[in-house]
Amino acid sequence: AQSVTQPDIHITVSEGASLELRCNYSYGATPYLFWYVQSPGQGLQLLLKYFSGDTLVQGIKGFEAEFKRSQSSFNLRKPSVHWSDAAEYFCAVGATGTASKLTFGTGTRLQVTL
Amino acid sequence: DAGVIQSPRHEVTEMGQEVTLRCKPISGHDYLFWYRQTMMRGLELLIYFNNNVPIDDSGMPEDRFSAKMPNASFSTLKIQPSEPRDSAVYFCASVQGRYGYTFGSGTRLTVV
């Protein structure tokens, strides 16, 4: 069974600083990988996804993530954080089967200081 | 497109009462997933349907939980009887194709 680890529960960065959120996965084959963002009181919104091909994936809102098979990682990055990026971020893994079943990490809460 | 509609947005109920959460998926989507979110356990998959048929309910915590999808435009998650430990945010997600998820805004359930 697949699993996801997000080692950082809470991260604080200053507005304009760079951001990297860590994600490690466990899966026997090449996984499908996702990053979602959740604002307070809202559902989850997809930031980006990796299925295959180029290991550097661009997403919405200026986010990108890099798939590193050797490290079983899919870290999320943004070069310059905006105050509106404060939210909770979830990494998720999907199995390469017919059912679109996602397994989520426990999330990282991002706080942005002005 | 109104997206995935969940109702109610908030529910407060007393222990022992029956609770019904509702979800209207996006038309044409062939999968529907129910997730539960708590501080302690994060997002957990409860059950999912494919073309209205329950495929995997192994995440349903107890027999007190049941879910139905009588047609392509409606699903319910029922808890009977409810307990304080069921307090959580319950999300419904409608899925098209390969991992084309759209989440609802969730129902925040508080059992007192």
Side-chain angles (χ1 to χ4, degrees), chain A residues 32 34 36 38 41-44 49 51 90 94-102 104-106, chain B residues 9 31 33 35 37 41-43 45 48 56 91 95 97-101 103-106 108:
Chain A
Y32 296 150
F34 306 81
Y36 283 86
Q38 184 182 30
Q42 300 299 312
L44 280 75
K49 61 186 176 186
F51 282 176
F90 292 91
T96 53
T98 57
S100 298
K101 192 164 68 169
L102 285 175
F104 287 89
T106 50
Chain B
R9 287 297 308 272
Y31 282 88
F33 289 74
Y35 285 86
Q37 184 179 34
R41 302 173 69 91
L43 276 154
L45 174 63
Y48 72 94
D56 183 354
F91 287 102
V95 180
R98 194 173 57 167
Y99 291 98
Y101 271 69
F103 282 86
S105 298
R108 180 174 296 276

Side-chain angles (χ1 to χ4, degrees), chain B residues 32 47-57 60 67-70:
Chain B
L32 185 139
I47 185 171
Y48 72 94
F49 296 83
N50 177 215
N51 294 322
N52 314 337
V53 177
I55 302 301
D56 183 354
D57 66 354
M60 298 284 261
K68 294 182 181 179
M69 192 165 184

Side-chain angles (χ1 to χ4, degrees), chain A residues 22-36:
Chain A
R22 296 183 291 166
C23 172
N24 292 96
Y25 69 89
S26 173
Y27 184 62
T30 300
Y32 296 150
L33 294 163
F34 306 81
W35 276 100
Y36 283 86

